[in-house]
Amino acid sequence: MNPPHVTIIGAGLGGLTLARVLHIHGIPATIYEAEPAPTARTQGGMLDIHDYNGQLAIEAASLMDEFRGIILQGRQAMRILAPDGTVLLDKADDGNGGRPEVQRGDLRQILLDSLPVGAVQWGRKAVSTRSLGEEHHEVTFADGGTITTSLLVGADGAWSRVRPLLSDATPEYTGMSYVETYLFDVDTRHPATAQAVGSGSMAAPATGGKGIQAHREKGETIHTYVVLREPQEWFDAIDFADSAAAAARIAKEFDGWAPELTALITDGDVPPLLRPIFALPLGHKWERVPGVTLLGDAAHLLTPNGEGANSAMYDGAELGKAIAAHPGDIETALTRYEEAMFPRSAEFGSIGAELHNLDDDAAAGLIKLYTENSN
């Protein structure tokens, strides 16, 4: 039997990896993506791609040479600072780490470039899905169009429109939010902050679950995530349309911190962007439903721990390999994939959980976690 045409909702890293692995095995797939074009928005920041999942997915996609070409050398360096700017840990990138750093946009582009022309249908925002029976499902798009498919994969992230076919679980607010900022031309315009961050990543944790995380991107750009544990109503009281006032209000939570650290908030070159953090229950799973499955955040949205993109890509690769191994028996393929994915996603989701529960001596706890898990 010939394998069915695979319908993938979402052109993130997981969906693209799935389409690429299927393409290698001669299995047709179409991705439907809400964004109007591949350049419609900035594709996030830096990703550390792990040798035990993300890199294995890239190998399955036969893109290791392309991947090596986008690695930013030296970015595996890590610094941990106290709020007063004291350097508590300064680990250089010796080139032997298993988590090379790349820009998310560059990684997405090499995946896009590896697919046939027309494999991604842009500007097709899925708004609902429904079962038609006999292993067929219908997807309705914002433009009013519909498609029917016998093999539907939800790779459409936190607020997946495919997930309701399988599960009634919805993401819940974790009690934590990030505020993103950027500094450009840092070595020239912000030398003290550039020195504090160093050549790779920097973390300055504090009690109460708050902290400042930053990392070097391409060139002289520093991308910062300010971490705060506050209810959503607390953030609702801040007018993020007034960039200066919002930055000042966020920086107030770090009164007394070293100016080279608070400058990451107050001197941002773009308006501060609020990102409330949602997650699905750890160990989220569902009963097998013929003709449909999920991968990545649609299946197991995690509190940020460095595993999200890696896990999504690994899901995509494993699902693609399962379909290729059972092209005439898709239900066996989906069953094998899900049986392995459920415990794997729970394991990946638990990695670094302690990072979000550090309190009395947050810096010491982070140093311990980092040194134990940095190999």
Side-chain angles (χ1 to χ4, degrees), residues 9 126-131 138-140 152 161-165:
I9 307 299
V127 294
S128 65
T129 55
R130 68 184 181 111
S131 174
E138 180 184 79
V139 182
T140 300
L152 177 63
R161 301 299 186 179
V162 180
R163 188 190 301 123
L165 293 171

Side-chain angles (χ1 to χ4, degrees), residues 79-350:
R79 303 188 109 195
I80 297 175
L81 273 57
D84 65 1
T86 301
V87 178
L88 305 175
L89 175 72
D90 192 358
K91 182 175 176 60
D93 181 358
D94 61 6
N96 295 319
R99 302 182 177 194
E101 298 270 359
V102 300
Q103 297 272 169
R104 180 187 290 268
D106 293 344
L107 182 55
R108 189 192 197 209
Q109 193 59 53
I110 65 173
L111 285 162
L112 284 169
D113 290 343
S114 73
L115 297 176
V117 174
V120 181
Q121 298 293 306
W122 300 98
R124 304 300 304 278
K125 180 180 180 179
V127 294
S128 65
T129 55
R130 68 184 181 111
S131 174
L132 300 178
E134 297 183 354
E135 302 183 17
H136 282 72
H137 296 88
E138 180 184 79
V139 182
T140 300
F141 299 97
D143 60 9
T146 63
I147 58 167
T148 300
T149 177
S150 60
L151 181 45
L152 177 63
V153 180
D156 49 340
W159 308 106
S160 172
R161 301 299 186 179
V162 180
R163 188 190 301 123
L165 293 171
L166 296 161
S167 167
D168 60 4
T170 57
E172 295 186 357
Y173 181 58
T174 62
M176 175 175 64
S177 290
Y178 288 179
V179 178
E180 283 189 67
T181 67
Y182 281 88
L183 290 182
F184 304 135
D185 303 320
V186 292
D187 295 311
T188 301
R189 298 174 53 226
H190 308 280
T193 297
Q195 183 175 4
V197 172
S199 60
S201 298
M202 182 279 295
T207 57
K210 71 179 181 182
I212 300 175
Q213 303 170 7
H215 52 238
R216 288 264 188 166
E217 295 192 352
K218 283 184 176 178
E220 296 184 32
T221 296
I222 290 178
H223 187 180
T224 300
Y225 298 92
V226 182
V227 186
L228 290 169
R229 285 193 176 276
E230 299 288 353
Q232 288 186 277
E233 294 78 11
W234 188 90
F235 293 99
D236 290 341
I238 300 174
D239 182 8
F240 279 88
D242 185 340
S243 299
R249 179 63 189 89
I250 297 300
K252 185 178 179 180
E253 298 300 304
F254 298 87
D255 280 348
W257 285 45
E260 61 269 26
L261 294 177
T262 56
L264 290 162
I265 306 170
T266 58
D267 294 356
D269 289 313
V270 299
L273 177 63
L274 175 64
R275 292 196 181 278
I277 305 301
F278 290 81
L280 287 167
L282 186 62
H284 174 238
K285 61 173 63 176
W286 53 86
E287 297 297 324
R288 173 94 289 281
V289 174
V292 59
T293 193
L294 305 172
L295 62 79
D297 284 351
H300 44 75
L301 179 66
L302 307 172
T303 301
N305 66 351
E307 296 295 337
N310 285 277
S311 184
M313 294 173 65
Y314 194 75
D315 284 353
E318 291 299 291
L319 177 54
K321 291 192 293 184
I323 294 171
H326 304 280
D329 187 355
I330 293 302
E331 280 311 296
T332 293
L334 299 186
T335 298
R336 299 269 177 94
Y337 160 71
E338 290 179 354
E339 286 177 346
M341 184 266 289
F342 291 146
R344 180 178 71 239
S345 63
E347 178 184 358
F348 287 160
S350 67

